[in-house]
Amino acid sequence: MNLTIQEVERIADLARLHLTDEEKERFREQLSSILGHVAKLQDLDTAEIQPLTSMSLECTRLREDQPGESLSPEELLNNAPDAIKQQFRVPPVLDTDNHS
Amino acid sequence: MAALTDLTLTETVKGLRTGEFSSMELTQAYLERIDQLEPKLHAFISLTPDKALAQAKAADKRLKSAGDKQLPPLLGLPIAVKDVLSVEGIRATSGSRILENFIPPFSATAVQRLLDAGVVILGKTNTDEFAMGSSTENSAFGTTHNPWNLERVPGGSSGGSAAAVAARLAPVALGTDTGGSVRQPASFCGVTGFKPTYGRISRYGLIAYGSSLDSVGALGRSAQDLAELFSIMAGFDKLDATSMDLPVPDMHLNADVDIKGLRVGVPEEYFIKGIQTEVEEAVRAAVSELENLGAQVRQVSLPHTEYAVPVYYIIAPAEASANLARFDGVRYGLRVESEDIIDMFKETRGSGFGSEVKRRIMLGTYALSAGYYDAYYGQAQKVRALIKRDFEQAFEQVDVIAAPVAPTTAFTIGEHSGDPLSMYLEDVFTLPANLAGIPGIAFPVGFDSDNLPIGMQLMGSHFQEETLFRAAHAYQSASDWHTKAPAVG
């Protein structure tokens, strides 16, 4: 299993991770080695096996939708890197120059 | 009288009740010992002496008020808490730069139940970043040193909690176990540590790593001490959708615990090539001791054990890549400013996460990406079902399974740092319990020729924690490995 630098860049982009060139090369090698080890999972015939998708021993529980106590906006915004008027402030999400 | 910091939880609680010493005296004794040894060990990320002394003072006031008949069970007991668990008002870094200044506005349920039981919090212990690691070397705030040998790792990811308990910086400490992160450091540091059944102790307020694997556990000097904590922390919590509504045994283990007839299984797959000879010998001797105490020992087979590492290192990173998507520089934590929001995400995450976290996010993102999902994640979920079935079949024949915790004793700091796969392979004996969701308890059963502790684990069937605590307590009532303390220095 050998990943290419382009594959590493594609995964980093999907994961929204900036990587340096040195990291890209290191992860290319290390991820290739780890995926090589993981490949042994393919040795097992699992055609008849149901995947284990939930660890809970019971069905998902539902509860009444009732209002309860919650934290105040101030408490929730205390950890925000940039907040204004009870809102999180972020750079522009839409490219305003391209608005038609 | 022994030093206050040498007392077990049970002895400490009794001394506080009878007025032999106050919570202030006790808390101060621990804080002084932390002052003295922390520069060598680096077991803590944050210390909270002022809050601890205020809690101790309040506890003393209640202990002295004769009219109070309903004293909380652990009133005045100091504890340490792993830094991936939220405690209201105390920063929770998860060992990461990205949360360096994060102050949780609420406490984890497990922590809150202990606070309600009267504990005093000394500080937050060191951990591999987001609990991803087996050595505590992946903490953004420096490595913790093993109190038995400062050049060795304490294990991980709850290495700070294990080192703190071993060095008598706290009588007990909370940890978390996603793939062995309580049991392996307990083994490396010569203390007792348990992980509960998945769904037994609420994960609310635990900063998530692998949500189908994460569990809140604890480390202490004995199974008897930990049984007390378990009874308080366990039980249904509506804030965790996977928490199970089942009765919790109120365990107070006495000296006369009887394990006659207990069926103990020894899995051949856990005594493989590459295991340190002294580890195998000590674990087999401990199994013989259980037999002397009346247990019936037989061999069992867990044939898919060799697949635990590949299954775990697909499923855990996949879940981590989803869980850690929340760290984007918007609502909390680090933000690296940029004009463009996508760049802001990338720069924030690129500089806020350390190497191991990035590696696992990359691995998980790859395994979940279009075209690879079935081959990696889908296949891992199927093999996980086979691993769980192995245990279910074994527990038709035995009550507990006894095995080594790790193939070796504590390794040297830096030994695996260049080769992540070699570090992952060290987790081979602890991962299966998390993949199957079953409980486990690790405790010391000897030392190797370098005077490093050796641990054994007992694994049990779902929600059979009491059987594990009783078996470990029976062993500890007949042996003294768990009472050995390191001479730090």
Side-chain angles (χ1 to χ4, degrees):
Chain A
M1 181 76 213
N2 266 311
L3 292 177
T4 62
I5 285 288
Q6 290 72 31
E7 284 173 298
V8 170
E9 286 173 342
R10 187 183 65 87
I11 304 163
D13 185 54
L14 286 171
R16 298 287 189 250
L17 269 180
H18 173 80
L19 300 180
T20 63
D21 288 344
E22 186 271 327
E23 283 177 316
K24 287 177 195 170
E25 180 50 33
R26 186 153 43 88
F27 287 155
R28 192 192 62 73
E29 275 176 42
Q30 292 173 341
L31 296 178
S32 298
S33 149
I34 295 162
L35 291 169
H37 180 77
V38 165
K40 78 192 266 185
L41 290 179
Q42 311 304 329
D43 300 347
L44 286 171
D45 177 7
T46 55
E48 305 298 318
I49 306 297
Q50 285 300 312
L52 186 60
T53 54
S54 166
M55 292 309 292
S56 188
L57 303 183
E58 62 180 23
C59 298
T60 305
R61 237 183 353 258
L62 298 176
R63 61 168 172 77
E64 294 300 312
D65 186 19
Q66 287 168 333
E69 273 182 52
S70 60
L71 296 166
S72 68
E74 290 71 27
E75 286 172 299
L76 288 167
L77 288 164
N78 271 341
N79 282 294
D82 191 1
I84 182 170
K85 293 182 190 166
Q86 297 202 349
Q87 294 168 82
F88 300 105
R89 185 157 63 181
V90 295
V93 176
L94 300 170
D95 187 349
T96 44
D97 293 343
N98 290 344
H99 268 279
S100 52
Chain B
M1 196 182 87
L4 293 181
T5 51
D6 284 331
L7 301 177
T8 67
L9 176 149
T10 318
E11 290 163 347
T12 304
V13 169
K14 194 174 160 215
L16 287 164
R17 281 305 155 90
T18 56
E20 205 177 323
F21 45 84
S22 68
S23 180
M24 280 294 268
E25 287 167 326
L26 180 68
T27 304
Q28 256 152 356
Y30 277 110
L31 291 172
E32 277 165 29
R33 195 165 164 83
I34 290 168
D35 268 351
Q36 184 197 340
L37 295 179
E38 181 61 5
K40 288 177 178 167
L41 296 172
H42 189 43
F44 288 86
I45 290 178
S46 304
L47 285 163
T48 52
D50 295 344
K51 283 184 192 241
L53 290 170
Q55 285 172 322
K57 196 175 169 186
D60 283 335
K61 201 173 159 195
R62 250 188 113 173
L63 283 162
K64 279 183 199 130
S65 63
D68 202 339
K69 299 285 182 222
Q70 289 293 313
L71 289 179
L74 303 179
L75 189 57
L77 176 81
I79 68 164
V81 177
K82 185 180 180 181
D83 210 23
V84 296
L85 288 159
S86 295
V87 183
E88 185 182 344
I90 301 177
R91 96 178 159 138
T93 69
S94 272
S96 182
R97 289 283 169 213
I98 213 161
L99 285 180
E100 188 166 5
N101 300 307
F102 175 67
I103 314 275
F106 60 88
S107 291
T109 298
V111 171
Q112 190 58 52
R113 288 183 180 180
L114 292 175
L115 285 170
D116 294 343
V119 301
V120 168
I121 294 178
L122 296 166
K124 304 294 297 293
T125 54
N126 200 7
T127 168
D128 287 296
E129 186 175 0
F130 290 105
M132 297 180 194
S134 317
S135 68
T136 319
E137 292 168 292
N138 296 334
S139 168
F141 303 98
T143 299
T144 297
H145 298 261
N146 191 315
W148 291 92
N149 180 332
L150 299 177
E151 284 161 26
R152 303 280 176 149
V153 301
S157 64
S158 309
S161 286
V165 171
R168 274 64 176 147
L169 307 186
V172 286
L174 295 190
T176 60
D177 192 313
T178 303
S181 280
V182 162
R183 290 163 289 150
Q184 183 255 24
S187 176
F188 281 13
C189 290
V191 301
T192 305
F194 82 92
K195 85 165 277 296
T197 310
Y198 185 84
R200 182 62 117 167
I201 295 180
S202 172
R203 291 180 293 112
Y204 179 72
L206 159 58
I207 296 169
Y209 158 26
S211 299
S212 77
L213 302 152
D214 289 341
S215 64
V216 179
L219 302 96
R221 312 239 168 95
S222 68
Q224 186 184 34
D225 285 0
L226 295 179
E228 302 282 334
L229 290 189
F230 170 79
S231 295
I232 292 167
M233 290 193 291
F236 178 67
D237 177 21
K238 67 176 172 36
L239 299 173
D240 174 357
T242 60
S243 147
M244 287 288 288
D245 194 0
L246 290 170
V248 177
D250 188 15
M251 274 181 285
H252 303 289
L253 299 174
N254 302 314
D256 58 352
V257 162
D258 184 4
I259 57 162
K260 270 196 189 62
L262 181 81
R263 298 170 304 166
V264 177
V266 179
E268 52 189 308
E269 293 85 358
Y270 282 62
F271 297 89
I272 48 170
K273 194 166 156 279
I275 188 173
Q276 190 179 331
T277 313
E278 293 160 301
V279 171
E280 171 160 2
E281 286 168 0
V283 170
R284 290 202 188 274
V287 170
S288 298
E289 181 60 33
L290 291 174
E291 200 165 21
N292 293 339
L293 294 168
Q296 297 167 10
V297 177
R298 65 185 75 173
Q299 204 167 74
V300 291
S301 181
L302 299 165
H304 295 92
T305 301
E306 64 174 303
Y307 297 99
V309 171
V311 170
Y312 180 88
Y313 281 97
I314 290 299
I315 289 180
E319 294 183 3
S321 72
N323 275 326
L324 273 59
R326 72 192 62 182
F327 300 105
D328 55 8
V330 175
R331 288 155 300 163
Y332 33 66
L334 177 78
R335 174 190 291 192
V336 176
E337 296 290 351
S338 172
E339 296 295 305
D340 178 85
I341 192 162
I342 302 294
D343 279 345
M344 183 193 91
F345 296 155
K346 288 183 177 176
E347 296 293 334
T348 296
R349 294 161 62 79
S351 65
F353 291 138
S355 280
E356 185 59 33
V357 172
K358 287 183 196 169
R359 193 153 38 239
R360 293 196 196 188
I361 290 174
M362 293 285 288
L363 193 54
T365 304
Y366 180 79
L368 292 175
S369 63
Y372 298 98
Y373 183 95
D374 289 338
Y376 287 101
Y377 190 69
Q379 179 71 356
Q381 284 183 312
K382 288 180 168 187
V383 181
R384 184 178 187 178
L386 292 174
I387 290 171
K388 186 165 179 243
R389 196 177 67 187
D390 282 355
F391 280 105
E392 284 160 359
Q393 287 171 348
F395 286 125
E396 285 170 11
Q397 305 161 50
V398 295
D399 303 305
V400 301
I401 291 172
V405 179
T408 65
T409 54
F411 47 86
T412 305
I413 292 172
E415 192 173 329
H416 292 288
S417 55
D419 182 3
L421 180 58
S422 76
M423 181 87 90
Y424 298 171
L425 293 170
E426 292 280 326
D427 300 341
V428 56
F429 300 150
T430 48
L431 301 176
N434 300 80
L435 292 169
I438 58 172
I441 187 165
F443 49 94
V445 295
F447 288 84
D448 72 2
S449 51
D450 292 326
N451 199 37
L452 293 168
I454 297 169
M456 176 167 89
Q457 62 175 331
L458 297 176
M459 293 174 275
S461 195
H462 289 96
F463 299 99
Q464 300 304 310
E465 289 91 352
E466 188 170 5
T467 309
L468 298 183
F469 281 117
R470 291 173 67 87
H473 179 59
Y475 177 83
Q476 292 183 331
S477 300
S479 63
D480 63 358
W481 299 115
H482 65 293
T483 65
K484 309 280 185 205
V488 184

